Amino acid sequence: MVGFEIMSKQSMPPTVVIEHIRVLRPDLAIVSASWRFPEGILLVDGDRIPAFSQVDTYVAIKSQGRWLIAVHEMQEVKQ
C-alpha cells in the first residue's frame, strides 16, 4: 500500500480507542473508533504531517468464525 511506504518507521503509532460497538445481528456489527496522531506522521523524506485526529466507522461481518471488515469509512476531525 502506497500510504505505508511513505511513512517513516520512526513515526509514533496513533492512540486508538474503540468508542462504540453496535451488534446488529450475531454476524454483523458497526464499530466506531477514534484515532489520535498527537505528533502527526513523519514521512520517509523527513517532512511531517501535523497532528490530527480521525473517526473511523467499520462494518464488520463474521465469516467462518472470524470477524472481517467489510466497509471502512474514515473522517478527519477538525481541531
Side-chain angles (χ1 to χ4, degrees):
M1 188 175 235
V2 174
F4 292 109
E5 292 174 3
I6 63 171
M7 287 178 54
S8 170
K9 292 181 181 174
Q10 296 174 348
S11 283
M12 293 297 297
T15 302
V16 182
V17 176
I18 302 299
E19 301 288 348
H20 184 76
I21 299 174
R22 182 174 176 201
V23 179
L24 303 175
R25 300 188 318 226
D27 63 344
L28 179 66
I30 298 174
V31 180
S32 297
S34 62
W35 294 65
R36 287 191 25 226
F37 296 82
E39 296 183 20
I41 297 174
L42 181 63
L43 305 178
V44 293
D45 66 2
D47 286 343
R48 180 176 293 280
I49 297 171
F52 68 98
S53 298
Q54 68 187 44
V55 175
D56 290 15
T57 302
Y58 304 89
V59 176
I61 59 171
K62 193 171 189 178
S63 176
Q64 299 178 357
R66 301 181 79 188
W67 284 98
L68 306 170
I69 296 171
V71 178
H72 173 219
E73 179 199 32
M74 177 174 38
Q75 181 177 17
E76 186 175 344
V77 177
K78 300 294 180 189
Q79 298 199 18

